Amino acid sequence: MNWETVIGLEVHIQLATASKIFSNAPTAYGAEPNAQASAVDIALPGVLPVINREVIAMATRFGLAIEADITRASVFARKHYFYPDLPKGYQISQYDLPIVAGGHLDIDTPAGGARRIGITRAHLEEDAGKSLHEAFDRETGIDLNRAGTPLIECVSEPEIKTAAEAAAYARKLHSLVTYLGICDGNMAEGSFRIDANVSVRPAGSAEFGTRTETKNVNSFRFLEKAIDYEIERQIDVLEAGGHIIQETRLFDPDSGETRAMRSKEEAHDYRYFPDPDLLPVVIDEAFIETQRSHLPELPDAKAERFGREYGLNDADAIALTQSRALADYFEATVAAAGDDTAALGKPAANWINSELAGVLNREALTIEQAPLSAAQLGGLIARIADDTISGKIAKQVFDALVAGEGESADAIIEAQGLKQITDTGAIEALVDEAITNNPDQVAQYLDGKTKIVGFLVGQVMKASQGKANPKDVNQRLVAKLDAMK
Amino acid sequence: MSLTTDDVRKVAHLARLGLDETELDGYARELSSILDVVDHLGQADTADIAPMSHPLDLGARLREDKPDAAIDREAFQRVAPDVAEGVYRVPKVIE
């Protein structure tokens, strides 16, 4: 039987505020256990929540960025369940009136081209604390520092069709919230957590199959693996005549498998009702317009501008706008390379997407940790553009910059004597030498196999230790050889 | 509106209330009569009234994003039954 997959993603986006959503406790990561848990966060009797304005501002900016409706009077509700890291016995969340309704994200599909994925809603809620199951033998430790940290939960429509598309969606959302500056995007520390709802159904069927929810996915690569595993598992179960149980599953990165966590059937009676401690959040047009004016240039708009201003193709423009830091690095590189942005964009993109990306990948560094600055890379590109050095030598200078052998491309070129030979007499001499020393190849050329000239250029370049200009050498060789015909 | 003893048992379980089997009938009756009172509200004509989530017709007052809580961990943890290494300890929760 042919199966088709239906995927919806729920992403918890931790908001980068200084204080919590309902209390004035700090949100900084890594403090002593419970040192950042205030009376409100630990639910001492008599405390009341007070909403953080910045949380509302960030959620509004997010809603505007995904072209959603901003709810003019959104309501916080209590979601009840019992777990030791939830001190109140309920989580303050939003239910039927979330702050952000609708919206969409255009993803770059693995096959190429864009596809629009609908967003159902994005609501605000408080995070729970952390349960430390391994800390003690017979007890579970509870650290409530994270309790009350503001989250946006963004729920996609079940319109995603493959694991690769799901990863593309998650990457796009991650890029968006970090561009907006509302989330630090640190997946290892749990600032961006993805749950995947996956079901399969016979191709063409109108009804959804029973879905499972896979949690604990903290990288895009794991997301793809977890979903692929889950699709295969469900198809195997169904083809063997079994049925899928609606349940929460955990992804285990070590085995690459998902396993059942707890059955959802009874646990999900959350008894939502409006929180009587909190009045509706009323947002007026002026507030929305203020937030709109604070929106930065977003990835899609930036990619479009990179194409226009720097003459980049779509692939380069999309790659360079994946993160704001990378896009900033690119623009700073071009600015340092010179004024002709239309001509310098393409070489800058090539250096960043190939050589620099290679170094970052090898050393497991982020663009923020790049071993050479945009100014240094721009300085290097400027010297290629003005023919001071050849592309080959440039690679050598690049490696030297990465290794920290000099302050700038100019300093390294000077110190290591890498300047291109501009003395035409010296080049002529090397060209003559190459012709004298390689009679066979010369004969081939004269015989009409003109491609062999590349070999002779290589000989001259070698003799010049890479310091001749290959284009210039090529011209001189061709002129001389043609004269011999 | 009439609640059965099964309804009461379920609600009690969800709220983690330890009700005695002998108490179920009484609660079913009392809770049903509360719901009956609430049902009276259904008779009011609300055709032109926007639903409200709160009895006060006001919006929430928002707070500036300033971390300035006075957090006295020692004092907070003094009332907890079991604390070690700065964390609250509870009976082992098995996932």
Side-chain angles (χ1 to χ4, degrees):
Chain A
M1 186 185 290
N2 270 333
W3 297 94
E4 84 188 7
T5 307
V6 178
I7 303 165
L9 295 185
E10 296 175 11
V11 182
H12 285 90
I13 300 156
Q14 186 177 310
L15 295 178
T17 53
S19 67
K20 293 185 178 175
I21 180 168
F22 300 120
S23 86
N24 51 3
T27 52
Y29 182 82
E32 283 280 294
N34 293 302
Q36 295 187 162
S38 72
V40 173
D41 305 325
I42 66 174
L44 288 186
V47 297
L48 284 173
V50 186
I51 303 166
N52 183 341
R53 178 190 305 276
E54 191 57 22
V55 168
I56 305 303
M58 287 180 171
T60 303
R61 293 209 291 279
F62 177 72
L64 292 171
I66 59 167
E67 299 183 325
D69 292 326
I70 308 299
T71 307
R72 296 306 195 268
S74 70
V75 171
F76 282 101
R78 294 182 177 182
K79 174 180 177 177
H80 298 82
Y81 65 91
F82 288 98
Y83 207 76
D85 58 24
L86 185 76
K88 289 192 296 294
Y90 60 85
Q91 177 192 29
I92 305 179
S93 181
Q94 296 190 305
Y95 189 54
D96 53 354
L97 290 167
I99 188 161
V100 171
H104 56 83
L105 211 54
D106 291 334
I107 63 168
D108 308 306
T109 60
R115 193 157 101 74
R116 176 160 288 189
I117 305 294
I119 288 173
T120 316
R121 55 183 278 154
H123 65 255
L124 285 168
E125 62 186 28
E126 58 179 340
D127 207 344
K130 238 177 205 154
S131 295
L132 310 164
H133 298 293
E134 314 296 329
F136 307 100
D137 277 351
R138 261 174 281 172
E139 295 90 6
T140 292
I142 305 294
D143 175 6
L144 297 173
N145 278 349
R146 203 181 60 184
T149 299
L151 302 174
I152 286 178
E153 180 176 337
C154 177
V155 182
S156 84
E157 289 285 314
E159 294 176 346
I160 299 167
K161 291 175 185 158
T162 65
E165 270 189 16
Y169 170 90
R171 282 203 176 88
K172 191 64 178 276
L173 187 60
H174 184 268
S175 156
L176 183 70
V177 296
T178 50
Y179 262 81
L180 288 169
I182 64 173
C183 174
D184 68 18
N186 189 327
M187 295 177 77
E189 289 175 5
S191 299
F192 189 89
R193 309 197 287 264
I194 308 162
D195 300 339
N197 289 309
V198 177
S199 66
V200 297
R201 62 181 174 190
S205 159
E207 278 167 40
F208 290 121
T210 305
R211 69 167 193 268
T212 62
E213 183 181 16
T214 300
K215 287 183 179 285
N216 202 26
V217 187
N218 64 3
S219 82
F220 303 120
R221 201 165 53 86
F222 288 164
L223 176 67
E224 222 171 315
K225 283 179 85 172
I227 293 175
D228 273 333
Y229 176 85
E230 193 50 25
I231 293 169
E232 229 173 280
R233 188 191 68 84
Q234 292 188 12
I235 291 173
D236 284 350
V237 169
L238 293 170
E239 290 192 339
H243 63 276
I244 302 300
I245 303 162
Q246 184 175 340
E247 63 189 356
T248 303
R249 300 179 69 85
L250 277 181
F251 176 67
D252 178 355
D254 294 329
S255 65
E257 297 175 353
T258 67
R259 60 185 160 81
M261 197 168 104
R262 54 171 186 247
S263 170
K264 258 192 162 179
E265 279 147 293
E266 189 209 38
H268 268 214
D269 201 341
Y270 289 135
R271 293 150 294 143
Y272 280 97
F273 62 76
D275 190 328
D277 287 344
L278 289 162
L279 290 159
V281 178
V282 177
I283 295 177
D284 60 18
E285 294 308 314
F287 184 86
I288 291 175
E289 287 319 307
T290 303
Q291 296 313 318
R292 197 190 300 280
S293 72
H294 289 160
L295 289 179
E297 185 183 32
L298 297 173
D300 290 345
K302 204 182 274 279
E304 191 270 321
R305 179 171 64 81
F306 278 14
R308 190 160 30 84
E309 253 174 52
Y310 299 103
L312 302 185
N313 60 33
D314 284 354
D316 280 340
I318 289 168
L320 288 169
T321 49
Q322 293 277 320
S323 87
R324 197 167 163 177
L326 183 61
D328 289 348
Y329 188 100
F330 167 74
E331 292 205 273
T333 300
V334 177
D339 295 329
D340 191 358
T341 49
L344 294 167
K346 185 65 189 166
N350 290 346
W351 277 93
I352 292 170
N353 286 338
S354 58
E355 299 300 335
L356 182 61
V359 171
L360 297 179
N361 208 11
R362 193 169 64 236
E363 313 280 337
L365 298 173
T366 64
I367 186 69
E368 289 90 339
Q369 302 163 316
L372 81 168
S373 69
Q376 288 176 315
L377 182 58
L380 171 61
I381 292 166
R383 292 300 155 261
I384 308 166
D386 69 9
D387 281 334
T388 303
I389 52 173
S390 65
K392 199 162 184 186
I393 292 289
K395 177 70 178 67
Q396 201 177 322
V397 177
F398 177 84
D399 290 341
L401 282 169
V402 169
E405 288 169 20
E407 278 302 299
S408 65
D410 283 343
I412 290 166
I413 293 165
E414 185 64 39
Q416 305 190 6
L418 298 174
K419 211 172 249 177
Q420 214 153 244
I421 302 170
T422 47
D423 174 357
T424 49
I427 295 171
E428 287 282 329
L430 292 173
V431 167
D432 288 339
E433 201 182 295
I435 291 174
T436 317
N437 292 347
N438 299 286
D440 290 354
Q441 283 78 9
V442 171
Q444 286 181 40
Y445 182 91
L446 296 176
D447 206 24
K449 292 178 184 152
T450 52
K451 272 189 185 161
I452 198 72
V453 76
F455 169 82
L456 295 166
V457 171
Q459 295 303 305
V460 175
M461 291 306 294
K462 210 158 122 190
S464 74
Q465 293 170 307
K467 288 187 277 181
N469 179 333
K471 212 154 69 190
D472 178 48
V473 170
N474 189 70
Q475 277 170 5
R476 285 174 197 281
L477 270 168
V478 169
K480 291 213 175 206
L481 292 167
D482 285 348
M484 289 163 75
K485 272 185 183 167
Chain B
M1 183 86 196
S2 180
L3 287 176
T4 65
T5 51
D6 276 348
D7 293 331
V8 174
R9 201 178 281 117
K10 185 179 175 212
V11 171
H13 170 68
L14 287 170
R16 300 295 186 273
L17 296 174
L19 291 192
D20 210 288
E21 282 294 312
T22 60
E23 293 173 292
L24 294 178
D25 274 336
Y27 275 113
R29 213 167 35 247
E30 285 172 26
L31 289 172
S32 295
S33 67
I34 291 172
L35 293 178
D36 287 343
V37 172
V38 175
D39 254 359
H40 278 297
L41 292 174
Q43 294 168 16
D45 178 10
T46 55
D48 297 324
I49 315 272
M52 294 172 77
S53 63
H54 200 280
L56 299 178
D57 194 11
L58 291 171
R61 191 177 62 83
L62 304 179
R63 156 180 74 75
E64 291 310 307
D65 181 28
K66 272 206 221 114
D68 52 7
I71 297 171
D72 186 346
R73 190 176 71 168
E74 296 287 302
F76 291 166
Q77 298 202 328
R78 218 170 290 139
V79 296
D82 188 6
V83 172
E85 296 162 32
V87 304
Y88 298 93
R89 296 208 299 185
V90 299
K92 193 99 181 166
V93 183
I94 310 292
E95 285 265 304

